[in-house]
Amino acid sequence: MAAPTDFVMRCHPGIVGKNPSLGLKNQVLGVVPLIGTAGGVPCNGRKLESRAKSRVEAVAEVGVKGLKSYEVKVETGMDAVAEKELREKGFMGMRKTKLVCTIGPACCSLEDLEKLAMGGMNVARLNMCHNTREWHRDVIRRIKWLNLDKGFCVSVMIDTEGSQIHVVDHGAPFSLKAEEGSVWVFTAQKFEGSRPFTVRANYEGFSEGIMVGDELVIDGGMASFEVVEKMGSDLRCKCTDPGLLLPRAKLSFWRDGQLSYHGLPTLSAKDWEDIDFGVSEGVDFIAMSFVNDADSVKNLKNYLSTKSSKSIKVLAKIETSESLHKLKEIVEASDGVMVARGDLGVEVPLEQIPTVQEEVTHICRELNKPVIIASQLLESMIEYPTPTRAEVADVTEAVRQYADAMMLSGESAIGLHGQKALSVLQMVSSRMESWSRVENRQSFLQQGQLGVSLHDRISEEICNSAVKMANKLGVDAIFVYTKHGEMASLLSRNRPNPPIFAFTNDNCTRMALTLQWGVIPLLVELSDDMEANIARTIDLIKMQGMAKIGDCVLIVSDLTPTGATPAAFQSLMVKTIS
Ligand SMILES: Nc1ncnc2c1ncn2[C@@H]1O[C@H](COP(=O)(O)OP(=O)(O)O)[C@@H](O)[C@H]1O
Ligand SMILES: C=C(OP(=O)(O)O)C(=O)O
Ligand SMILES: [K+]
Ligand SMILES: [Mg+2]
């Protein structure tokens, strides 16, 4: 992994390897900040934590005090939170729907991040629209540190700002009321002090092509104006539908029921800098805002491969009306999708959002790409300690649709009850998932074939059959051994009743699988000897008291011994733990 300059010490494998508590072979997990003094790292007795502590001491021993970060090597099995859940609830009680939390000022301390991780956060999202890169860097490093120190498996996603016309200054720190008939000037020019009824937009060309009589809609309907005069590039607008102007309110222009296209690029110069920042900090996902077509996604993916960061997954955010005409090709081009209902509601009528959500979720499942449902799931909890009944129904619906993940935005970033909001997602998803199983509402999608090559088609058929078998036999868990996560995701696509334990020796695969429905990724050493892999991993689970004699697991593998032909080594078997 590319490491930030200046502060990095690469821990020599020889030095780490000499420590007796470090296990067989160590995996590079990444660069994490050194917090506090080396000896003072808390350790609550978990094996992994004591290992991490030994590592920190090993680093200290070679005299790197004062450095802010170092590279750590560790082999880990299951993450601490999945392990706890398995102990408490058993295989079938494990939550399948993944949870994403937006990190903001209300939850960015080490303590708060730890609480979110303990509460089930699978992915931490950093919205690059807000705050400084230094702030984001600190948060990323805290998360990586917690993963190492506490044995969590929380992935990091950055979310690009993208180009969109929005308010940068309307003369007040909070919201302003626009009264019916009041006249406002919208401008892109900077001005000193405050001018009443004047709103500054972020983009100089915001009024290009706009004509007198066009409608200006604020935040998808918070307030509306009619353009009454063009004064150079400024617009004089009369409020026709009174409402609120928030500090970063989004502006959209309409004529004859059609949105006027502003032609801004999907990725701005700032976005490219943020992407480079994400690459250098070793993030796991980049969520791309305002994707309009597949080419922009392909472009970013190509860029990442030139930077040797192919393992960073690119998620396309569906939030423009244009993208809705090209859904399949966008989904196909990306590694996953976010239904970004916030901005989507600015560009399409609100009543269309539920059907768009269902359609996108369905396409993603068909094409086997993870999908996140985002925005306003528990909006009222930004202020209130309980959700509305309608919000609970919305969350339930996302789980019923078998979305891979649900996301908190302001609820965690600035809300008063972020942890509680996360526990609401947790409880509602567990309840709906178990209801779906008990009622046997499991519907097998009429899935089209994905693979083209014989090898891929065999993998796909093995996974389809494996899930049918697992459900019919009522096995406790599915174990899959996988290098790139392909088989794990093909199993997940069938939404099986038991959890999928995905054993991989590639940390990037492990971090990418955090977003996939029902998959618990584990980082382990894997050899060419499949029997040995199975024996070792069953022992690992058994030794930690997480499985007992008589538990039944269905085993799937796509590991190919070095130098062998792939297709010959795909396998499926059922094993009772003895
Ligand atoms: N890193 C951050 N720093 C400060 N505030 C943030 C940060 N991330 C999110 N927020 C706040 O949380 C709110 C909700 O987050 P989000 O939905 O991601 O952004 P937006 O409202 O811009 O779409 C934002 O409007 C912003 O006020
Ligand atoms: C998730 C979204 O994007 P952002 O919060 O970046 O506007 C959205 O619009 O719903
Ligand atoms: K964003
Ligand atoms: Mg958005």
Side-chain angles (χ1 to χ4, degrees):
M1 187 184 88
T5 48
D6 300 339
F7 316 123
V8 178
M9 186 240 169
R10 278 175 192 277
C11 210
H12 190 279
I15 298 166
V16 175
K18 273 180 205 154
N19 191 309
S21 67
L22 296 177
L24 289 166
K25 190 178 165 194
N26 303 300
Q27 306 278 343
V28 176
L29 269 193
V31 177
V32 296
L34 185 57
I35 298 167
T37 56
V41 175
C43 172
N44 69 7
R46 281 191 77 254
K47 203 163 150 201
L48 181 65
E49 281 157 23
S50 60
R51 281 187 187 182
K53 189 183 174 208
S54 314
R55 253 149 265 244
V56 175
E57 283 168 352
V59 173
E61 271 165 30
V62 296
V64 290
K65 277 185 191 142
L67 293 182
K68 284 198 181 155
S69 64
Y70 57 92
E71 199 164 285
V72 181
K73 295 172 174 235
V74 68
E75 188 190 61
T76 174
M78 196 181 310
D79 73 276
V81 182
E83 189 181 316
K84 184 167 174 283
E85 194 180 23
L86 175 55
R87 281 182 204 286
E88 287 172 1
K89 301 182 185 161
F91 285 116
M92 279 306 164
M94 299 185 84
R95 173 174 46 86
K96 305 290 180 41
T97 314
K98 300 302 181 76
L99 306 176
V100 183
C101 299
T102 302
I103 309 303
C107 62
C108 62
S109 71
L110 199 64
E111 294 72 30
D112 289 329
L113 292 168
E114 182 176 349
K115 284 181 190 152
L116 289 177
M118 284 306 295
M121 167 171 67
N122 301 103
V123 180
R125 165 184 179 253
L126 293 159
N127 189 347
M128 303 307 286
C129 287
H130 308 288
N131 236 315
T132 61
R133 267 181 216 129
E134 286 63 40
W135 185 92
H136 290 290
R137 172 176 293 139
D138 287 346
V139 172
I140 294 172
R141 291 182 175 194
R142 274 177 217 137
I143 293 163
K144 293 196 172 207
W145 167 259
L146 283 168
N147 281 347
L148 179 79
D149 186 41
K150 305 283 176 185
F152 298 142
C153 181
V154 176
S155 302
V156 176
M157 175 199 298
I158 57 164
D159 189 323
T160 61
E161 179 161 350
S163 327
Q164 193 192 34
I165 304 171
H166 63 83
V167 171
V168 283
D169 185 10
H170 63 8
F174 299 109
S175 56
L176 274 185
K177 219 171 154 202
E179 306 280 1
E180 181 149 17
S182 59
V183 176
W184 297 65
V185 174
F186 287 79
T187 179
Q189 288 167 42
K190 288 191 180 147
F191 50 85
E192 292 295 318
S194 86
R195 289 186 202 163
F197 298 102
T198 305
V199 176
R200 183 156 73 87
N202 63 324
Y203 173 56
E204 286 198 355
F206 84 103
S207 62
E208 269 169 33
I210 304 303
M211 292 173 11
V212 169
D214 286 353
E215 190 187 16
L216 163 56
V217 178
I218 307 295
D219 276 337
M222 283 284 246
S224 300
F225 295 80
E226 185 191 328
V227 178
V228 290
E229 190 185 348
K230 271 196 95 169
M231 307 174 301
S233 58
D234 293 356
L235 301 176
R236 250 164 71 84
C237 303
K238 191 166 100 184
C239 180
T240 48
D241 188 9
L244 286 183
L245 277 172
L246 300 180
R248 273 181 64 94
K250 286 139 191 170
L251 312 182
S252 58
F253 291 95
W254 297 77
R255 187 180 307 153
D256 304 326
Q258 298 281 322
L259 191 69
S260 62
Y261 179 59
H262 54 58
L264 286 167
T266 296
L267 292 173
S268 67
K270 174 185 180 282
D271 291 332
W272 284 110
E273 285 171 21
D274 288 337
I275 287 162
D276 284 341
F277 162 81
V279 167
S280 70
E281 287 301 308
V283 302
D284 305 294
F285 298 101
I286 297 176
M288 200 177 176
S289 295
F290 306 113
V291 168
N292 284 320
D293 50 40
D295 284 346
S296 53
V297 179
K298 289 179 193 159
N299 192 17
L300 176 55
K301 283 181 66 77
N302 284 340
Y303 179 74
L304 293 174
S305 43
T306 64
K307 292 241 149 191
S308 308
S309 299
K310 224 170 150 179
S311 62
I312 300 181
K313 304 291 176 197
V314 175
L315 308 178
K317 290 172 70 183
I318 302 300
E319 53 183 347
T320 68
S321 57
E322 205 178 332
S323 68
L324 302 184
H325 307 297
K326 303 170 195 163
L327 275 179
K328 272 211 161 147
E329 56 206 73
I330 293 172
V331 175
E332 232 153 5
S334 43
D335 301 310
V337 163
M338 184 194 293
V339 185
R341 305 184 304 182
D343 284 303
L344 193 58
V346 172
E347 296 209 2
V348 305
L350 293 183
E351 64 274 17
Q352 280 180 27
I353 291 182
T355 47
V356 170
Q357 171 179 322
E358 187 153 12
E359 190 190 351
V360 175
T361 306
H362 185 86
I363 294 176
C364 286
R365 179 100 178 268
E366 249 182 28
L367 299 178
N368 199 26
K369 305 291 167 111
V371 59
I372 307 169
I373 307 299
S375 294
Q376 298 187 339
L377 277 99
L378 297 172
E379 185 81 357
S380 74
M381 289 191 78
I382 292 177
E383 277 183 69
Y384 297 100
T386 57
T388 67
R389 281 58 177 156
E391 286 165 346
V392 172
D394 179 46
V395 173
T396 302
E397 178 59 14
V399 180
R400 195 194 59 77
Q401 287 172 4
Y402 288 108
D404 287 82
M406 299 186 289
M407 187 172 109
L408 295 178
S409 297
E411 299 93 330
S412 50
I414 47 168
L416 299 175
H417 313 283
Q419 286 151 35
K420 206 167 170 212
L422 187 61
S423 75
V424 170
L425 291 188
Q426 163 98 270
M427 284 181 301
V428 173
S429 44
S430 293
R431 171 56 63 102
M432 185 62 203
E433 286 164 11
S434 91
W435 188 80
S436 288
R437 272 198 305 273
V438 173
E439 296 284 307
N440 203 13
R441 292 178 28 94
Q442 176 76 340
S443 56
F444 285 100
L445 277 184
Q446 281 305 319
Q447 290 167 344
Q449 175 188 307
L450 287 169
V452 178
S453 71
L454 178 66
H455 173 256
D456 289 347
R457 285 174 53 203
I458 293 173
S459 297
E460 201 176 314
E461 288 307 327
I462 287 180
C463 290
N464 295 348
S465 312
V467 168
K468 263 189 212 149
M469 252 175 99
N471 289 349
K472 281 198 173 156
L473 296 175
V475 304
D476 296 287
I478 300 175
F479 283 12
V480 56
Y481 298 82
T482 178
K483 172 94 183 131
H484 301 293
E486 196 53 33
M487 289 285 254
S489 94
L490 286 169
L491 288 163
S492 164
R493 180 186 186 221
N494 285 289
R495 304 309 194 234
N497 288 338
I500 304 159
F501 290 79
F503 298 95
T504 179
N505 56 0
D506 181 333
N507 195 49
C508 296
T509 298
R510 172 181 180 236
M511 298 318 277
L513 287 173
T514 56
L515 198 55
Q516 303 234 338
W517 191 97
V519 177
I520 298 129
L522 293 92
L523 185 66
V524 291
E525 230 195 304
L526 293 172
S527 70
D528 277 357
D529 180 352
M530 206 42 220
E531 282 298 321
N533 289 332
I534 295 170
R536 243 171 54 81
T537 47
I538 289 184
D539 275 353
L540 181 88
I541 304 274
K542 220 168 65 180
M543 253 162 33
Q544 296 179 339
M546 291 181 285
K548 50 186 189 316
I549 293 170
D551 283 347
C552 187
V553 292
L554 188 139
I555 293 170
V556 182
S557 168
D558 66 355
L559 293 182
T560 312
T562 334
T565 9
F569 288 89
Q570 291 152 319
S571 58
L572 186 162
M573 66 179 108
V574 178
K575 209 173 170 78
T576 304
I577 296 181
S578 54

PDB file of all heavy atoms in Angstrom, residues 88 181 525:
ATOM      1  N   GLU A  88     -22.980 -14.447  20.739  1.00  0.00           N
ATOM      2  CA  GLU A  88     -24.232 -14.090  21.420  1.00  0.00           C
ATOM      3  C   GLU A  88     -25.460 -14.643  20.724  1.00  0.00           C
ATOM      4  O   GLU A  88     -26.427 -15.037  21.373  1.00  0.00           O
ATOM      5  CB  GLU A  88     -24.355 -12.557  21.515  1.00  0.00           C
ATOM      6  CG  GLU A  88     -23.405 -11.969  22.555  1.00  0.00           C
ATOM      7  CD  GLU A  88     -23.371 -10.445  22.524  1.00  0.00           C
ATOM      8  OE1 GLU A  88     -24.109  -9.840  21.710  1.00  0.00           O
ATOM      9  OE2 GLU A  88     -22.599  -9.874  23.317  1.00  0.00           O
ATOM     10  N   GLY A 181     -43.417  35.977  -2.966  1.00  0.00           N
ATOM     11  CA  GLY A 181     -43.367  37.289  -3.620  1.00  0.00           C
ATOM     12  C   GLY A 181     -42.073  38.041  -3.386  1.00  0.00           C
ATOM     13  O   GLY A 181     -41.802  39.039  -4.066  1.00  0.00           O
ATOM     14  N   GLU A 525      -4.190 -17.298   6.336  1.00  0.00           N
ATOM     15  CA  GLU A 525      -3.192 -17.823   5.423  1.00  0.00           C
ATOM     16  C   GLU A 525      -3.831 -18.948   4.635  1.00  0.00           C
ATOM     17  O   GLU A 525      -4.558 -19.764   5.209  1.00  0.00           O
ATOM     18  CB  GLU A 525      -2.058 -18.397   6.257  1.00  0.00           C
ATOM     19  CG  GLU A 525      -0.717 -17.917   5.833  1.00  0.00           C
ATOM     20  CD  GLU A 525       0.323 -18.789   6.445  1.00  0.00           C
ATOM     21  OE1 GLU A 525       0.308 -18.909   7.680  1.00  0.00           O
ATOM     22  OE2 GLU A 525       1.129 -19.358   5.697  1.00  0.00           O
TER      23      GLU A 525
END
